[in-house]
Amino acid sequence: MHRFASPARFLRLAGAVQPWLAGGTLVLMALGLYLALFDSPPDYQQGESVRIMYIHVPAAWMALFVYACIAVASASLLVWRHPLAGLFAKASAPIGAGFTFLALVTGSLWGKPMWGTWWVWDARLTSVLILFFLYLGLIALTNAFESPERGQRASAVLALVGSVNLPIIKFSVDWWNTLHQPASITRMGTPAIDPSMLWPLFSMAIAFTLYYFWVVIVRVRGELIEARLRALTRLQTEGR
Amino acid sequence: MSGLWALIRRDLRLALRQRGDLLTAVLFFLLTAALFPFGIGPEPNLLLRIAPGILWVTALLAVLLSLERLFLADWEDGSLDLLLLAPQPLEAMVLAKVLVHWLTSGLPILLSAPLAALLYGLPAHALPVLLLALALGTPSLSLLGATAAALTLGARRGGVLLPLLTMPLYIPVLVFGVAAVDASLAGFSVRPHLLLLGALLLVSLPVAALSGAAALRQTAE
C-alpha cells in the first residue's frame, strides 16, 4: 500500500491502468447487457421483469463493496496517515451513493410489478436505504469543513463508526421485518439459479467493479491536480 | 480521577445554572408527545397501539435536539483545548461529558416518561418496561450522538449535519426499544429486547469513547 503513497507514482500508475479499466468496463458492460437483455431466458415466474435483476443485484453488491473499500481506506488514513487514502475515500463516497441509489430505484421498479408496490418497509430495502443515508452523511461531512484534510479525517471516523454499526443495523432491521427473498448466489456449490442467468449477472458485476475503479482513479487524479493547483496559487499569492 | 470528577461537577453546575437548556429536552418530549393525539384523534385503542413508537421517537428527537450543546460551548470558548492538554485520557473525559449530557437530557426524559405514558393510556404493567428500555436506550443515544457532535464541531451547516449523521446510528436503539414495549403490551417476554438494548449500550461505550476522542483531537489539528 505504502508504495503508492507518493502522488507522483500514483499518477504515473493511474495513467497506465486507466485505459485498461475503461476498456474492460465498456466491453464487459456491452457483453453483460447483451446477455441480460437478449440472450437469457425470461423467468418462469417473474417473466421479463427478471432482467432488472442484472442491474439491481450487481448495484446492491457494489453498494456494500464500495462501503467496505471506504472503511479500509479510512482505517489506513487514520492509522498510517496514508495521504491518498483520504482522497480515495472522498472520491468513492459519491460513487457508492450512486450505486446504492441505483439499487433502490431498480428494486422499486422491480417491486411494482412483482409485489404490487413501489416501496415496502422490508428489512433489506430498509437497510439499503439506511446505507444510502450513511453515504449522504459521509459526503456532507467531507465537504463541511474549510480545510479538506479535516473533512477527510472526520468522515474517516464516521465511516469506521458506521462499519461497526452496519451489521448491527442490518441485524436489527432483519429482526424488525422481513419480506425480501434470501440470497440465491452465495450458497456455495450449487447456486440456485441457472448458468444462462448467472453469466450475464457475473459479467455485469465485474463490469460494475471495473467501472468503480475506473471512475475512482479519474476522481482521485482530479483531486490531486486540484490540490496542486491550490498549492501553486498559494505560492503565487505569497510570493507577491 | 479527581480531574474527571471536577469536569463532571463543572458541567453539571453549568447545566443547572442554565435551566433553559435543561428543560428544553423534557419540554420538547412532553409537548410533541401531547401533540400527536391532536393529529391522530383521541381513539384510545389507536393511541395505545402507537404509544411505544411515538414515545420512543419523541425521546430520540429530544436527545437529538440537545446534542449540539455537548461540545459546542467548550469549543467556542476554548476550554476544549484545555481538556485536550489535560493529563487525563481524552476517552475518559468524553465519557464524563456524555454522562453529564445523559443526566441533563436522558434522565429528565426518563423521569417524565410516566406522565407521557399516562397521556396514551399505557397499562401499568407496561410502564416499568418502558422505563427500563428508556434507561438502557437513552445512554446509547447520548453516546452515539457524542461522536456525531464532536465530528461536526466547526462544520458549516452543523445543525443539519447532526441529524443526518445520527439517524442511521439510532435505528437499532429505536427498533429494540419499541419492540420491548410492544412485547410487553402483547404479553410476550421482554427479556430478549432488553438484553439487546443492554448489548447496544455496551458496544456504544467503547465506540463512542474512541471515536469521540479521535474526533475531538481532530479539532485541534
Side-chain angles (χ1 to χ4, degrees), chain A residues 78 81 130 134 136-137 140-141 143-145 150 153-154 157-158 161 164-165 168-169 171-172 175-176, chain B residues 151-156 161 164-165 168-169 171-172 175-176 193 196 200 203 207 211 218-219 221:
Chain A
L78 293 177
R81 308 235 154 183
I130 297 168
L134 268 178
L136 290 188
L141 192 61
N143 297 317
F145 295 95
R150 165 107 162 85
R153 258 180 282 123
V157 173
L158 181 68
V161 172
V164 173
N165 267 281
I168 301 177
I169 295 174
F171 166 71
S172 72
W175 180 290
W176 178 60
Chain B
L151 281 174
T152 52
L153 279 181
R156 286 171 282 184
L161 264 178
L164 182 62
L165 301 192
L169 306 180
I171 286 170
V175 166
F176 294 121
H193 305 289
L196 280 164
L200 283 177
V203 173
V207 168
S211 60
Q218 286 174 4
T219 61
E221 280 176 15

mmCIF file of all heavy atoms in Angstrom, chain A residues 78 81 130 134 136-137 140-141 143-145 150 153-154 157-158 161 164-165 168-169 171-172 175-176, chain B residues 151-156 161 164-165 168-169 171-172 175-176 193 196 200 203 207 211 218-219 221:
data_model
loop_
_atom_site.group_PDB
_atom_site.id
_atom_site.type_symbol
_atom_site.label_atom_id
_atom_site.label_comp_id
_atom_site.label_asym_id
_atom_site.label_seq_id
_atom_site.Cartn_x
_atom_site.Cartn_y
_atom_site.Cartn_z
ATOM 1 N N LEU A 78 -6.429 6.978 9.067
ATOM 2 C CA LEU A 78 -6.314 7.339 10.477
ATOM 3 C C LEU A 78 -5.104 6.683 11.124
ATOM 4 O O LEU A 78 -4.453 7.273 11.991
ATOM 5 C CB LEU A 78 -7.589 6.942 11.227
ATOM 6 C CG LEU A 78 -8.832 7.723 10.838
ATOM 7 C CD1 LEU A 78 -10.044 7.198 11.574
ATOM 8 C CD2 LEU A 78 -8.655 9.197 11.148
ATOM 9 N N ARG A 81 -1.863 7.457 8.301
ATOM 10 C CA ARG A 81 -1.899 8.772 7.647
ATOM 11 C C ARG A 81 -1.546 8.664 6.171
ATOM 12 O O ARG A 81 -0.806 9.493 5.638
ATOM 13 C CB ARG A 81 -0.931 9.741 8.330
ATOM 14 C CG ARG A 81 -1.148 9.813 9.808
ATOM 15 C CD ARG A 81 -1.365 11.227 10.202
ATOM 16 N NE ARG A 81 -2.157 11.255 11.428
ATOM 17 C CZ ARG A 81 -2.563 12.369 11.980
ATOM 18 N NH1 ARG A 81 -2.308 13.517 11.407
ATOM 19 N NH2 ARG A 81 -3.262 12.352 13.081
ATOM 20 N N ILE A 130 -30.891 2.872 4.649
ATOM 21 C CA ILE A 130 -30.053 3.411 5.717
ATOM 22 C C ILE A 130 -28.616 3.560 5.231
ATOM 23 O O ILE A 130 -27.933 4.551 5.524
ATOM 24 C CB ILE A 130 -30.128 2.501 6.958
ATOM 25 C CG1 ILE A 130 -31.547 2.476 7.496
ATOM 26 C CG2 ILE A 130 -29.170 2.974 8.028
ATOM 27 C CD1 ILE A 130 -31.790 1.414 8.516
ATOM 28 N N LEU A 134 -26.209 6.803 5.192
ATOM 29 C CA LEU A 134 -24.823 6.836 5.686
ATOM 30 C C LEU A 134 -23.903 7.457 4.639
ATOM 31 O O LEU A 134 -23.029 8.267 4.961
ATOM 32 C CB LEU A 134 -24.346 5.416 5.996
ATOM 33 C CG LEU A 134 -24.540 4.905 7.424
ATOM 34 C CD1 LEU A 134 -24.060 3.474 7.534
ATOM 35 C CD2 LEU A 134 -23.778 5.773 8.406
ATOM 36 N N LEU A 136 -24.773 9.587 2.307
ATOM 37 C CA LEU A 136 -25.054 11.028 2.245
ATOM 38 C C LEU A 136 -24.361 11.751 3.394
ATOM 39 O O LEU A 136 -23.791 12.837 3.213
ATOM 40 C CB LEU A 136 -26.566 11.280 2.302
ATOM 41 C CG LEU A 136 -27.377 10.860 1.087
ATOM 42 C CD1 LEU A 136 -28.807 11.360 1.230
ATOM 43 C CD2 LEU A 136 -26.775 11.401 -0.194
ATOM 44 N N GLY A 137 -24.387 11.119 4.588
ATOM 45 C CA GLY A 137 -23.706 11.718 5.733
ATOM 46 C C GLY A 137 -22.214 11.849 5.480
ATOM 47 O O GLY A 137 -21.611 12.893 5.783
ATOM 48 N N ALA A 140 -21.639 14.688 2.986
ATOM 49 C CA ALA A 140 -21.893 16.002 3.582
ATOM 50 C C ALA A 140 -20.784 16.373 4.556
ATOM 51 O O ALA A 140 -20.312 17.508 4.582
ATOM 52 C CB ALA A 140 -23.241 16.002 4.291
ATOM 53 N N LEU A 141 -20.339 15.393 5.360
ATOM 54 C CA LEU A 141 -19.312 15.687 6.366
ATOM 55 C C LEU A 141 -17.975 15.996 5.699
ATOM 56 O O LEU A 141 -17.243 16.887 6.135
ATOM 57 C CB LEU A 141 -19.170 14.498 7.320
ATOM 58 C CG LEU A 141 -18.349 14.761 8.574
ATOM 59 C CD1 LEU A 141 -18.973 15.856 9.403
ATOM 60 C CD2 LEU A 141 -18.200 13.506 9.406
ATOM 61 N N ASN A 143 -17.450 17.467 2.971
ATOM 62 C CA ASN A 143 -17.437 18.787 2.346
ATOM 63 C C ASN A 143 -17.810 19.915 3.302
ATOM 64 O O ASN A 143 -17.999 21.044 2.874
ATOM 65 C CB ASN A 143 -18.400 18.794 1.155
ATOM 66 C CG ASN A 143 -17.959 17.818 0.102
ATOM 67 O OD1 ASN A 143 -16.774 17.730 -0.213
ATOM 68 N ND2 ASN A 143 -18.890 17.046 -0.421
ATOM 69 N N ALA A 144 -17.922 19.593 4.609
ATOM 70 C CA ALA A 144 -18.459 20.594 5.522
ATOM 71 C C ALA A 144 -17.388 21.479 6.145
ATOM 72 O O ALA A 144 -17.716 22.370 6.914
ATOM 73 C CB ALA A 144 -19.267 19.913 6.624
ATOM 74 N N PHE A 145 -16.117 21.236 5.839
ATOM 75 C CA PHE A 145 -15.072 21.990 6.529
ATOM 76 C C PHE A 145 -14.272 22.847 5.564
ATOM 77 O O PHE A 145 -14.173 22.549 4.375
ATOM 78 C CB PHE A 145 -14.132 21.031 7.265
ATOM 79 C CG PHE A 145 -14.800 20.280 8.364
ATOM 80 C CD1 PHE A 145 -15.309 19.018 8.141
ATOM 81 C CD2 PHE A 145 -14.949 20.845 9.610
ATOM 82 C CE1 PHE A 145 -15.942 18.324 9.146
ATOM 83 C CE2 PHE A 145 -15.579 20.163 10.622
ATOM 84 C CZ PHE A 145 -16.076 18.905 10.389
ATOM 85 N N ARG A 150 -9.267 18.078 7.165
ATOM 86 C CA ARG A 150 -10.127 17.874 8.339
ATOM 87 C C ARG A 150 -11.408 17.144 7.935
ATOM 88 O O ARG A 150 -11.850 16.232 8.611
ATOM 89 C CB ARG A 150 -10.448 19.234 8.962
ATOM 90 C CG ARG A 150 -11.587 19.227 9.943
ATOM 91 C CD ARG A 150 -11.108 19.377 11.355
ATOM 92 N NE ARG A 150 -12.209 19.785 12.245
ATOM 93 C CZ ARG A 150 -13.052 18.923 12.812
ATOM 94 N NH1 ARG A 150 -12.927 17.636 12.591
ATOM 95 N NH2 ARG A 150 -14.001 19.360 13.603
ATOM 96 N N ARG A 153 -10.621 13.494 7.387
ATOM 97 C CA ARG A 153 -10.386 12.713 8.610
ATOM 98 C C ARG A 153 -11.669 12.550 9.419
ATOM 99 O O ARG A 153 -11.914 11.490 9.998
ATOM 100 C CB ARG A 153 -9.276 13.346 9.438
ATOM 101 C CG ARG A 153 -7.975 12.559 9.244
ATOM 102 C CD ARG A 153 -6.830 13.112 10.035
ATOM 103 N NE ARG A 153 -6.293 14.285 9.387
ATOM 104 C CZ ARG A 153 -6.204 15.477 9.962
ATOM 105 N NH1 ARG A 153 -6.626 15.646 11.195
ATOM 106 N NH2 ARG A 153 -5.694 16.476 9.301
ATOM 107 N N ALA A 154 -12.515 13.602 9.444
ATOM 108 C CA ALA A 154 -13.785 13.473 10.158
ATOM 109 C C ALA A 154 -14.642 12.381 9.534
ATOM 110 O O ALA A 154 -15.198 11.528 10.233
ATOM 111 C CB ALA A 154 -14.522 14.810 10.148
ATOM 112 N N VAL A 157 -13.507 8.866 10.468
ATOM 113 C CA VAL A 157 -14.010 8.390 11.763
ATOM 114 C C VAL A 157 -15.444 7.917 11.609
ATOM 115 O O VAL A 157 -15.822 6.834 12.083
ATOM 116 C CB VAL A 157 -13.904 9.504 12.829
ATOM 117 C CG1 VAL A 157 -14.586 9.072 14.113
ATOM 118 C CG2 VAL A 157 -12.456 9.857 13.099
ATOM 119 N N LEU A 158 -16.259 8.715 10.895
ATOM 120 C CA LEU A 158 -17.664 8.351 10.707
ATOM 121 C C LEU A 158 -17.794 7.031 9.946
ATOM 122 O O LEU A 158 -18.613 6.176 10.290
ATOM 123 C CB LEU A 158 -18.396 9.462 9.967
ATOM 124 C CG LEU A 158 -19.879 9.190 9.728
ATOM 125 C CD1 LEU A 158 -20.630 9.197 11.045
ATOM 126 C CD2 LEU A 158 -20.476 10.192 8.776
ATOM 127 N N VAL A 161 -17.046 4.201 12.375
ATOM 128 C CA VAL A 161 -18.178 4.008 13.296
ATOM 129 C C VAL A 161 -19.328 3.336 12.546
ATOM 130 O O VAL A 161 -19.964 2.405 13.049
ATOM 131 C CB VAL A 161 -18.630 5.356 13.900
ATOM 132 C CG1 VAL A 161 -19.903 5.179 14.696
ATOM 133 C CG2 VAL A 161 -17.549 5.920 14.793
ATOM 134 N N VAL A 164 -18.813 -0.389 12.077
ATOM 135 C CA VAL A 164 -19.151 -1.169 13.274
ATOM 136 C C VAL A 164 -20.666 -1.321 13.368
ATOM 137 O O VAL A 164 -21.191 -2.376 13.732
ATOM 138 C CB VAL A 164 -18.608 -0.483 14.551
ATOM 139 C CG1 VAL A 164 -19.093 -1.193 15.799
ATOM 140 C CG2 VAL A 164 -17.098 -0.463 14.525
ATOM 141 N N ASN A 165 -21.368 -0.241 12.994
ATOM 142 C CA ASN A 165 -22.819 -0.220 13.182
ATOM 143 C C ASN A 165 -23.599 -0.922 12.082
ATOM 144 O O ASN A 165 -24.721 -1.357 12.320
ATOM 145 C CB ASN A 165 -23.302 1.220 13.294
ATOM 146 C CG ASN A 165 -23.374 1.659 14.725
ATOM 147 O OD1 ASN A 165 -24.319 1.337 15.426
ATOM 148 N ND2 ASN A 165 -22.346 2.341 15.177
ATOM 149 N N ILE A 168 -24.950 -4.269 12.920
ATOM 150 C CA ILE A 168 -25.974 -4.148 13.969
ATOM 151 C C ILE A 168 -27.279 -3.636 13.366
ATOM 152 O O ILE A 168 -28.366 -4.153 13.656
ATOM 153 C CB ILE A 168 -25.488 -3.201 15.084
ATOM 154 C CG1 ILE A 168 -24.184 -3.734 15.693
ATOM 155 C CG2 ILE A 168 -26.537 -3.039 16.150
ATOM 156 C CD1 ILE A 168 -23.596 -2.847 16.738
ATOM 157 N N ILE A 169 -27.161 -2.611 12.500
ATOM 158 C CA ILE A 169 -28.363 -2.062 11.862
ATOM 159 C C ILE A 169 -29.046 -3.148 11.033
ATOM 160 O O ILE A 169 -30.255 -3.363 11.112
ATOM 161 C CB ILE A 169 -27.999 -0.857 10.976
ATOM 162 C CG1 ILE A 169 -27.453 0.286 11.835
ATOM 163 C CG2 ILE A 169 -29.199 -0.382 10.177
ATOM 164 C CD1 ILE A 169 -26.938 1.452 11.042
ATOM 165 N N PHE A 171 -28.859 -6.369 11.351
ATOM 166 C CA PHE A 171 -29.468 -7.369 12.223
ATOM 167 C C PHE A 171 -30.761 -6.853 12.831
ATOM 168 O O PHE A 171 -31.781 -7.551 12.839
ATOM 169 C CB PHE A 171 -28.460 -7.748 13.318
ATOM 170 C CG PHE A 171 -29.058 -8.507 14.450
ATOM 171 C CD1 PHE A 171 -29.474 -9.817 14.282
ATOM 172 C CD2 PHE A 171 -29.216 -7.909 15.688
ATOM 173 C CE1 PHE A 171 -30.038 -10.510 15.323
ATOM 174 C CE2 PHE A 171 -29.781 -8.600 16.735
ATOM 175 C CZ PHE A 171 -30.192 -9.902 16.550
ATOM 176 N N SER A 172 -30.741 -5.603 13.287
ATOM 177 C CA SER A 172 -31.927 -5.070 13.959
ATOM 178 C C SER A 172 -33.085 -4.938 12.977
ATOM 179 O O SER A 172 -34.236 -5.196 13.321
ATOM 180 C CB SER A 172 -31.609 -3.726 14.598
ATOM 181 O OG SER A 172 -31.470 -2.734 13.624
ATOM 182 N N TRP A 175 -34.574 -8.315 12.219
ATOM 183 C CA TRP A 175 -35.415 -8.689 13.351
ATOM 184 C C TRP A 175 -36.761 -7.989 13.233
ATOM 185 O O TRP A 175 -37.810 -8.536 13.554
ATOM 186 C CB TRP A 175 -34.675 -8.241 14.617
ATOM 187 C CG TRP A 175 -35.368 -8.521 15.908
ATOM 188 C CD1 TRP A 175 -36.491 -7.919 16.376
ATOM 189 C CD2 TRP A 175 -34.956 -9.457 16.890
ATOM 190 N NE1 TRP A 175 -36.799 -8.411 17.600
ATOM 191 C CE2 TRP A 175 -35.884 -9.355 17.947
ATOM 192 C CE3 TRP A 175 -33.902 -10.351 17.011
ATOM 193 C CZ2 TRP A 175 -35.785 -10.124 19.089
ATOM 194 C CZ3 TRP A 175 -33.805 -11.109 18.142
ATOM 195 C CH2 TRP A 175 -34.734 -11.004 19.169
ATOM 196 N N TRP A 176 -36.704 -6.760 12.738
ATOM 197 C CA TRP A 176 -37.869 -5.878 12.708
ATOM 198 C C TRP A 176 -38.913 -6.381 11.717
ATOM 199 O O TRP A 176 -40.088 -6.483 12.024
ATOM 200 C CB TRP A 176 -37.360 -4.483 12.366
ATOM 201 C CG TRP A 176 -38.397 -3.421 12.239
ATOM 202 C CD1 TRP A 176 -39.269 -3.017 13.194
ATOM 203 C CD2 TRP A 176 -38.635 -2.629 11.093
ATOM 204 N NE1 TRP A 176 -40.034 -2.000 12.702
ATOM 205 C CE2 TRP A 176 -39.676 -1.752 11.424
ATOM 206 C CE3 TRP A 176 -38.071 -2.565 9.824
ATOM 207 C CZ2 TRP A 176 -40.165 -0.819 10.525
ATOM 208 C CZ3 TRP A 176 -38.550 -1.639 8.942
ATOM 209 C CH2 TRP A 176 -39.596 -0.776 9.301
ATOM 210 N N LEU B 151 -17.714 15.283 15.763
ATOM 211 C CA LEU B 151 -17.268 15.325 14.367
ATOM 212 C C LEU B 151 -17.710 16.603 13.674
ATOM 213 O O LEU B 151 -17.026 17.096 12.785
ATOM 214 C CB LEU B 151 -17.831 14.124 13.604
ATOM 215 C CG LEU B 151 -17.130 12.793 13.809
ATOM 216 C CD1 LEU B 151 -17.890 11.682 13.119
ATOM 217 C CD2 LEU B 151 -15.720 12.864 13.268
ATOM 218 N N THR B 152 -18.866 17.144 14.061
ATOM 219 C CA THR B 152 -19.395 18.301 13.331
ATOM 220 C C THR B 152 -18.951 19.625 13.933
ATOM 221 O O THR B 152 -19.402 20.669 13.481
ATOM 222 C CB THR B 152 -20.929 18.263 13.300
ATOM 223 O OG1 THR B 152 -21.404 18.089 14.632
ATOM 224 C CG2 THR B 152 -21.440 17.139 12.449
ATOM 225 N N LEU B 153 -18.067 19.587 14.958
ATOM 226 C CA LEU B 153 -17.574 20.852 15.524
ATOM 227 C C LEU B 153 -16.870 21.649 14.441
ATOM 228 O O LEU B 153 -15.969 21.145 13.781
ATOM 229 C CB LEU B 153 -16.589 20.568 16.659
ATOM 230 C CG LEU B 153 -17.190 20.232 18.017
ATOM 231 C CD1 LEU B 153 -16.081 20.012 19.020
ATOM 232 C CD2 LEU B 153 -18.107 21.342 18.477
ATOM 233 N N GLY B 154 -17.285 22.898 14.265
ATOM 234 C CA GLY B 154 -16.619 23.743 13.288
ATOM 235 C C GLY B 154 -17.058 23.497 11.868
ATOM 236 O O GLY B 154 -16.493 24.066 10.945
ATOM 237 N N ALA B 155 -18.058 22.634 11.672
ATOM 238 C CA ALA B 155 -18.519 22.364 10.315
ATOM 239 C C ALA B 155 -19.503 23.436 9.881
ATOM 240 O O ALA B 155 -20.211 24.009 10.715
ATOM 241 C CB ALA B 155 -19.183 20.995 10.242
ATOM 242 N N ARG B 156 -19.514 23.707 8.581
ATOM 243 C CA ARG B 156 -20.574 24.559 8.053
ATOM 244 C C ARG B 156 -21.877 23.758 8.094
ATOM 245 O O ARG B 156 -21.856 22.547 7.909
ATOM 246 C CB ARG B 156 -20.260 24.936 6.606
ATOM 247 C CG ARG B 156 -19.155 25.969 6.489
ATOM 248 C CD ARG B 156 -18.745 26.130 5.052
ATOM 249 N NE ARG B 156 -17.873 25.026 4.655
ATOM 250 C CZ ARG B 156 -17.303 24.939 3.466
ATOM 251 N NH1 ARG B 156 -17.520 25.841 2.564
ATOM 252 N NH2 ARG B 156 -16.509 23.918 3.179
ATOM 253 N N LEU B 161 -26.242 18.737 9.630
ATOM 254 C CA LEU B 161 -25.405 17.539 9.578
ATOM 255 C C LEU B 161 -25.721 16.579 10.712
ATOM 256 O O LEU B 161 -25.761 15.371 10.517
ATOM 257 C CB LEU B 161 -23.940 17.948 9.689
ATOM 258 C CG LEU B 161 -23.159 18.103 8.411
ATOM 259 C CD1 LEU B 161 -21.757 18.547 8.717
ATOM 260 C CD2 LEU B 161 -23.135 16.776 7.670
ATOM 261 N N LEU B 164 -28.486 14.097 10.214
ATOM 262 C CA LEU B 164 -28.138 13.203 9.107
ATOM 263 C C LEU B 164 -27.150 12.127 9.570
ATOM 264 O O LEU B 164 -27.266 10.963 9.202
ATOM 265 C CB LEU B 164 -27.544 14.023 7.964
ATOM 266 C CG LEU B 164 -27.175 13.252 6.702
ATOM 267 C CD1 LEU B 164 -28.400 12.617 6.091
ATOM 268 C CD2 LEU B 164 -26.506 14.164 5.687
ATOM 269 N N LEU B 165 -26.166 12.527 10.399
ATOM 270 C CA LEU B 165 -25.162 11.562 10.847
ATOM 271 C C LEU B 165 -25.712 10.614 11.896
ATOM 272 O O LEU B 165 -25.336 9.441 11.951
ATOM 273 C CB LEU B 165 -23.941 12.288 11.429
ATOM 274 C CG LEU B 165 -23.201 13.260 10.530
ATOM 275 C CD1 LEU B 165 -21.878 13.652 11.160
ATOM 276 C CD2 LEU B 165 -22.948 12.655 9.176
ATOM 277 N N PRO B 168 -29.013 7.191 11.107
ATOM 278 C CA PRO B 168 -28.753 5.788 10.826
ATOM 279 C C PRO B 168 -28.258 5.028 12.062
ATOM 280 O O PRO B 168 -28.628 3.878 12.275
ATOM 281 C CB PRO B 168 -27.654 5.817 9.755
ATOM 282 C CG PRO B 168 -27.677 7.158 9.179
ATOM 283 C CD PRO B 168 -28.188 8.065 10.240
ATOM 284 N N LEU B 169 -27.461 5.715 12.912
ATOM 285 C CA LEU B 169 -26.892 5.033 14.072
ATOM 286 C C LEU B 169 -27.944 4.779 15.146
ATOM 287 O O LEU B 169 -27.797 3.884 15.978
ATOM 288 C CB LEU B 169 -25.755 5.873 14.667
ATOM 289 C CG LEU B 169 -24.652 6.284 13.695
ATOM 290 C CD1 LEU B 169 -23.598 7.114 14.402
ATOM 291 C CD2 LEU B 169 -23.998 5.054 13.083
ATOM 292 N N ILE B 171 -31.110 3.880 14.666
ATOM 293 C CA ILE B 171 -32.195 2.965 14.304
ATOM 294 C C ILE B 171 -32.245 1.688 15.161
ATOM 295 O O ILE B 171 -33.327 1.305 15.623
ATOM 296 C CB ILE B 171 -32.156 2.679 12.801
ATOM 297 C CG1 ILE B 171 -32.676 3.922 12.083
ATOM 298 C CG2 ILE B 171 -32.989 1.462 12.414
ATOM 299 C CD1 ILE B 171 -32.487 3.917 10.610
ATOM 300 N N PRO B 172 -31.080 1.003 15.412
ATOM 301 C CA PRO B 172 -31.182 -0.201 16.255
ATOM 302 C C PRO B 172 -31.782 0.078 17.631
ATOM 303 O O PRO B 172 -32.631 -0.692 18.101
ATOM 304 C CB PRO B 172 -29.732 -0.666 16.377
ATOM 305 C CG PRO B 172 -29.040 -0.105 15.200
ATOM 306 C CD PRO B 172 -29.704 1.187 14.908
ATOM 307 N N VAL B 175 -35.502 0.440 17.226
ATOM 308 C CA VAL B 175 -36.181 -0.825 16.915
ATOM 309 C C VAL B 175 -36.352 -1.664 18.173
ATOM 310 O O VAL B 175 -37.461 -2.134 18.481
ATOM 311 C CB VAL B 175 -35.380 -1.599 15.848
ATOM 312 C CG1 VAL B 175 -35.866 -3.040 15.764
ATOM 313 C CG2 VAL B 175 -35.515 -0.933 14.498
ATOM 314 N N PHE B 176 -35.272 -1.847 18.942
ATOM 315 C CA PHE B 176 -35.374 -2.723 20.111
ATOM 316 C C PHE B 176 -36.114 -2.057 21.254
ATOM 317 O O PHE B 176 -36.805 -2.732 22.030
ATOM 318 C CB PHE B 176 -33.991 -3.188 20.544
ATOM 319 C CG PHE B 176 -33.345 -4.070 19.517
ATOM 320 C CD1 PHE B 176 -32.144 -3.727 18.951
ATOM 321 C CD2 PHE B 176 -33.976 -5.226 19.092
ATOM 322 C CE1 PHE B 176 -31.559 -4.524 17.982
ATOM 323 C CE2 PHE B 176 -33.409 -6.017 18.122
ATOM 324 C CZ PHE B 176 -32.200 -5.676 17.570
ATOM 325 N N HIS B 193 -35.383 -8.338 24.238
ATOM 326 C CA HIS B 193 -35.247 -6.964 23.743
ATOM 327 C C HIS B 193 -34.419 -6.117 24.695
ATOM 328 O O HIS B 193 -33.566 -5.331 24.282
ATOM 329 C CB HIS B 193 -36.624 -6.346 23.541
ATOM 330 C CG HIS B 193 -37.508 -7.150 22.646
ATOM 331 N ND1 HIS B 193 -37.298 -7.249 21.309
ATOM 332 C CD2 HIS B 193 -38.586 -7.916 22.917
ATOM 333 C CE1 HIS B 193 -38.213 -8.045 20.779
ATOM 334 N NE2 HIS B 193 -39.010 -8.468 21.733
ATOM 335 N N LEU B 196 -30.824 -7.040 24.393
ATOM 336 C CA LEU B 196 -30.210 -6.461 23.194
ATOM 337 C C LEU B 196 -29.945 -4.965 23.380
ATOM 338 O O LEU B 196 -28.905 -4.455 22.950
ATOM 339 C CB LEU B 196 -31.119 -6.681 21.981
ATOM 340 C CG LEU B 196 -31.002 -8.088 21.395
ATOM 341 C CD1 LEU B 196 -32.166 -8.385 20.473
ATOM 342 C CD2 LEU B 196 -29.697 -8.217 20.636
ATOM 343 N N LEU B 200 -26.376 -3.193 23.065
ATOM 344 C CA LEU B 200 -26.100 -1.988 22.265
ATOM 345 C C LEU B 200 -25.374 -0.940 23.102
ATOM 346 O O LEU B 200 -24.431 -0.296 22.644
ATOM 347 C CB LEU B 200 -27.412 -1.388 21.745
ATOM 348 C CG LEU B 200 -28.062 -2.091 20.567
ATOM 349 C CD1 LEU B 200 -29.370 -1.406 20.228
ATOM 350 C CD2 LEU B 200 -27.144 -2.058 19.372
ATOM 351 N N VAL B 203 -21.776 -1.918 23.472
ATOM 352 C CA VAL B 203 -20.998 -1.672 22.253
ATOM 353 C C VAL B 203 -20.753 -0.170 22.085
ATOM 354 O O VAL B 203 -19.658 0.260 21.715
ATOM 355 C CB VAL B 203 -21.733 -2.238 21.016
ATOM 356 C CG1 VAL B 203 -21.019 -1.833 19.734
ATOM 357 C CG2 VAL B 203 -21.805 -3.744 21.093
ATOM 358 N N VAL B 207 -17.085 2.387 21.496
ATOM 359 C CA VAL B 207 -17.115 3.053 20.179
ATOM 360 C C VAL B 207 -17.154 4.571 20.356
ATOM 361 O O VAL B 207 -16.394 5.315 19.734
ATOM 362 C CB VAL B 207 -18.328 2.567 19.354
ATOM 363 C CG1 VAL B 207 -18.540 3.454 18.144
ATOM 364 C CG2 VAL B 207 -18.122 1.133 18.915
ATOM 365 N N SER B 211 -14.081 6.952 19.238
ATOM 366 C CA SER B 211 -14.318 7.814 18.077
ATOM 367 C C SER B 211 -14.521 9.265 18.515
ATOM 368 O O SER B 211 -14.084 10.187 17.829
ATOM 369 C CB SER B 211 -15.516 7.306 17.284
ATOM 370 O OG SER B 211 -16.657 7.307 18.090
ATOM 371 N N GLN B 218 -9.075 15.896 16.356
ATOM 372 C CA GLN B 218 -9.007 16.493 15.014
ATOM 373 C C GLN B 218 -9.316 17.986 15.037
ATOM 374 O O GLN B 218 -8.794 18.738 14.216
ATOM 375 C CB GLN B 218 -10.001 15.811 14.078
ATOM 376 C CG GLN B 218 -9.549 14.440 13.661
ATOM 377 C CD GLN B 218 -10.607 13.732 12.869
ATOM 378 O OE1 GLN B 218 -11.649 14.300 12.574
ATOM 379 N NE2 GLN B 218 -10.342 12.494 12.522
ATOM 380 N N THR B 219 -10.143 18.422 16.005
ATOM 381 C CA THR B 219 -10.494 19.836 16.017
ATOM 382 C C THR B 219 -9.280 20.695 16.347
ATOM 383 O O THR B 219 -9.234 21.872 16.005
ATOM 384 C CB THR B 219 -11.589 20.134 17.061
ATOM 385 O OG1 THR B 219 -11.066 19.775 18.348
ATOM 386 C CG2 THR B 219 -12.845 19.357 16.790
ATOM 387 N N GLU B 221 -6.158 20.035 15.398
ATOM 388 C CA GLU B 221 -5.044 19.928 14.444
ATOM 389 C C GLU B 221 -5.060 21.046 13.426
ATOM 390 O O GLU B 221 -6.100 21.618 13.155
ATOM 391 C CB GLU B 221 -5.116 18.580 13.727
ATOM 392 C CG GLU B 221 -4.546 17.470 14.598
ATOM 393 C CD GLU B 221 -4.711 16.105 13.943
ATOM 394 O OE1 GLU B 221 -4.995 16.043 12.736
ATOM 395 O OE2 GLU B 221 -4.557 15.109 14.656
#
